[in-house]
Amino acid sequence: MSFDTGKAGPNTDQPTLDPKDWDVFRASAHGLLDACLDQLQNAATHPWQPVPEHVRDSYKLSTDGHTFGDLAATLQSSVLPYATGNTHPRFFGWVHGTGVAEGLMSEMVAATMNSNCGGRDHGMVYLEREVIDWARRQMGFPDGASGILVAGTSQATVIALHAARLRKLGSAMRSEGNGAARLVAYAGASVHTSTQKALELMGIGKNGLRLLPEAGGSVDVAKLRACIAEDRNAGFKPFVIIGTAGSVDFGTYDDLETLADIAKEEALWLHVDGAFGAWTRLAEEPWRSLTDGIDRADSIACDFHKWMFVPYDCGLVLIRDEQDHRNAFAARPSYLAAMDQGLAGGDPWFCDYGVDLSRGNRALKVWSTIRTHGAKALGAAITANCRQAELMGQLVSRTDRMDLAKPIISNLCVFTADSTLNAKEQSALNSRIAQGLQLSGLAVFSTTVASFKGEKVTCLRAAITNHRTQTTDIHDAIEAVRALRDDLQV
Ligand SMILES: *Cc1c(COP(=O)(O)O)cnc(C)c1O
């Protein structure tokens, strides 16, 4: 048996979408790669900038095609410069990862391979298992725990909470849905909105989420216990406690050891949202201890695209008991039957552990990042960010009229630029400073509302998950805040 494996030449008799001239394509592609490398190497000179109208106009698609040379030139001139800006060393807004250079090369290789990671027997499936297993070990989960790479923590939360519900209701849930069960979940008030969304999607609704008051940044456990008992008496069906490791507004951490104790006593599933904060597991003390007890959770949701610096998008859900995970998602119609050999081998398949059947390759960029840097260097970058937040806090405290709104716990710094003003004036000033600095390209802070001296104040907020930030960037950013504040006040 022999096949002609020669490349498609001028004799092909069918239309193909491959380049007509690979040499021309290659030359443009090399140029584009250099442009990408230049932009990453000089990330400090590429802050966010607004997309001008004429550039947006140039994005319009028409019915006609264009050459690849034209595409490459357009990508370079009109697309590359208008990124979110989170590759910049003074980007501290929201919680954005900064992307490592290995990501660029991995995405190129991944696109070449065009793997479908829903299952079957091929390289990327093995790589994804390796990535999950590495994360499992970092989190202290037992051998044989299960996991899957997903778009982000929001999706990971849906998967984890669905598995938790299935354990509570049994496999009948897959045919009957929630039935008459009035399921309820418990979390501290600062839980991320993605948890609420997950419960809405699951038909439980946001009223099924008990938002508990917090004491010292962690769920008030007496109130949690009382609320569970009350709910049981009233005929509700508690099924999960959600602990937060790194809350998005102020960077607080629930006491996971205590939540694990309560979950055990109450026979409830403990899920941990550790979108960014779970990775303090790799950091030095005192930050590592913030996530003590995470190894006792039933599931963890976290992101590689935030504090593990892997380019977007990639999140992870880990589930302690593989059976819980599989029971909730396995479904294989006959056309997807597994075989013991050949391409349809490779069991277990990832499509039996999540929502997606066809799945892109998220593993390679994560694997490449971990393989290049190792846990130690990644942990050192996380530790450095915590120290930078600490330094930012000191600079804020030392600058006249500036004040921290919340204590700094790990990598978040929330402050007001002028605490001598009333709440309304402060809110307006802080918002204007955030916008002004973003537009000038000097630094990106976002904002959040904090109760400060008994009043709600819109504050400046830095979440430092940035491996490019240097000590001078912290000094420069706070100096830029001060300078703009003084300008706005004359
Ligand atoms: C970002 C974040 C999420 C949502 O994660 P995505 O990856 O954006 O879906 C959930 N929880 C916390 C604490 C977060 O910071």
Side-chain angles (χ1 to χ4, degrees):
M1 204 165 46
S2 81
F3 294 101
D4 177 9
T5 54
K7 55 180 178 178
N11 291 332
T12 40
D13 68 345
Q14 298 296 308
T16 167
L17 300 176
D18 274 339
K20 289 193 177 48
D21 186 332
W22 277 100
D23 291 335
V24 170
F25 188 93
R26 189 181 294 264
S28 297
H30 278 291
L32 192 54
L33 175 60
D34 274 329
C36 291
L37 291 167
D38 285 346
Q39 181 150 322
L40 267 190
Q41 186 178 356
N42 304 309
T45 58
H46 293 279
W48 172 82
Q49 55 176 323
V51 190
E53 203 171 324
H54 74 273
V55 172
R56 277 184 274 150
D57 286 344
S58 76
Y59 292 169
K60 291 226 163 62
L61 292 167
S62 63
T63 44
D64 298 328
H66 298 272
T67 63
F68 180 70
D70 178 72
L71 175 68
T74 303
L75 290 177
Q76 197 170 330
S77 67
S78 308
V79 177
L80 259 181
Y82 303 103
T84 320
N86 48 324
T87 53
H88 190 271
R90 286 188 300 281
F91 188 103
F92 309 127
W94 304 277
V95 186
H96 276 39
T98 38
V100 289
E102 293 73 33
L104 160 59
M105 305 320 295
S106 301
E107 291 287 69
M108 194 174 79
V109 173
T112 305
M113 297 172 75
N114 192 29
S115 303
N116 182 341
C117 300
R120 305 174 190 85
D121 194 347
H122 53 101
M124 282 309 142
V125 168
Y126 294 97
L127 245 71
E128 181 161 348
R129 285 190 197 143
E130 191 54 38
V131 163
I132 292 165
D133 203 56
W134 182 89
R136 174 190 70 73
R137 296 195 302 272
Q138 305 308 317
M139 296 301 152
F141 261 31
D143 219 359
S146 157
I148 188 168
L149 299 182
V150 291
T153 293
S154 305
Q155 262 195 35
T157 304
V158 173
I159 290 176
L161 297 189
H162 178 57
R165 155 173 76 172
L166 197 102
R167 189 206 270 175
K168 182 56 75 181
L169 298 181
S171 57
M173 194 265 135
R174 291 195 63 169
S175 13
E176 327 252 318
N178 294 336
R182 292 150 75 201
L183 293 164
V184 282
Y186 303 86
S190 60
V191 70
H192 192 267
T193 42
S194 54
T195 291
Q196 180 188 312
K197 256 197 209 177
L199 294 167
E200 289 173 11
L201 279 169
M202 290 163 67
I204 294 168
K206 79 168 177 187
N207 292 344
L209 176 60
R210 306 286 189 246
L211 289 177
L212 296 154
E214 294 167 352
S218 179
V219 178
D220 181 326
V221 281
K223 295 236 163 67
L224 171 61
R225 282 202 168 92
C227 191
I228 295 170
E230 250 171 61
D231 280 334
R232 287 211 159 108
N233 283 335
F236 289 100
K237 210 176 193 51
F239 78 109
V240 64
I241 298 173
I242 297 134
T244 297
S247 69
V248 74
D249 276 314
F250 308 121
T252 53
Y253 290 72
D254 275 324
D255 173 355
L256 299 178
E257 295 281 14
T258 303
L259 292 188
D261 290 342
I262 298 176
K264 191 159 179 231
E265 286 161 28
E266 301 280 353
L268 297 175
W269 182 291
L270 175 63
H271 172 70
V272 175
D273 176 349
F276 63 95
W279 296 112
T280 53
R281 278 283 98 184
L282 305 189
E284 284 175 21
E285 295 296 357
W287 300 289
R288 180 183 151 83
S289 296
L290 291 168
T291 40
D292 281 355
I294 199 167
D295 57 322
R296 296 171 62 195
D298 294 287
S299 58
I300 302 171
C302 58
D303 281 320
F304 284 107
H305 59 215
K306 287 177 178 170
W307 222 359
M308 287 290 280
F309 316 108
V310 173
Y312 285 91
D313 57 17
C314 190
L316 166 73
V317 59
L318 284 175
I319 296 190
R320 167 179 298 279
D321 184 337
E322 188 269 348
Q323 210 57 45
D324 281 325
H325 195 180
R326 194 177 175 80
N327 287 349
F329 290 97
R332 207 84 81 77
S334 46
Y335 86 99
L336 293 174
M339 306 219 175
D340 57 359
Q341 276 188 42
L343 189 52
D347 238 3
W349 288 13
F350 281 111
C351 63
D352 285 329
Y353 295 86
V355 177
D356 301 318
L357 173 56
S358 302
R359 304 176 62 244
N361 175 351
R362 293 198 174 98
L364 182 57
K365 60 193 175 187
V366 183
W367 183 83
S368 301
T369 302
I370 297 168
R371 190 177 187 278
T372 303
H373 301 287
K376 218 168 151 194
L378 291 165
I382 292 166
T383 300
N385 285 160
C386 293
R387 295 216 164 96
Q388 288 159 354
E390 215 168 57
L391 170 64
M392 188 179 278
Q394 287 162 4
L395 297 175
V396 163
S397 304
R398 261 187 243 149
T399 306
D400 66 310
R401 291 178 281 137
M402 278 193 202
D403 247 319
L404 282 176
K406 296 282 163 186
I408 291 165
I409 298 163
S410 57
N411 61 324
L412 261 98
C413 179
V414 180
F415 63 102
T416 181
D418 189 342
S419 60
T420 63
L421 304 175
N422 70 34
K424 206 170 149 216
E425 291 165 340
Q426 281 184 66
S427 297
L429 176 68
N430 290 330
S431 301
R432 285 190 67 192
I433 291 173
Q435 289 173 42
L437 293 182
Q438 289 167 16
L439 288 164
S440 69
L442 281 174
V444 173
F445 290 86
S446 54
T447 61
T448 195
V449 176
S451 70
F452 178 59
K453 294 181 180 162
E455 291 195 274
K456 298 249 177 252
V457 175
T458 301
C459 292
L460 290 159
R461 173 181 166 286
I464 314 179
T465 48
N466 192 328
H467 68 93
R468 296 195 179 90
T469 304
Q470 300 298 312
T471 308
T472 50
D473 292 311
I474 302 294
H475 284 273
D476 292 350
I478 294 303
E479 174 52 24
V481 171
R482 189 205 55 77
L484 183 55
R485 173 197 69 185
D486 293 351
D487 276 357
L488 289 170
Q489 287 182 328
V490 287

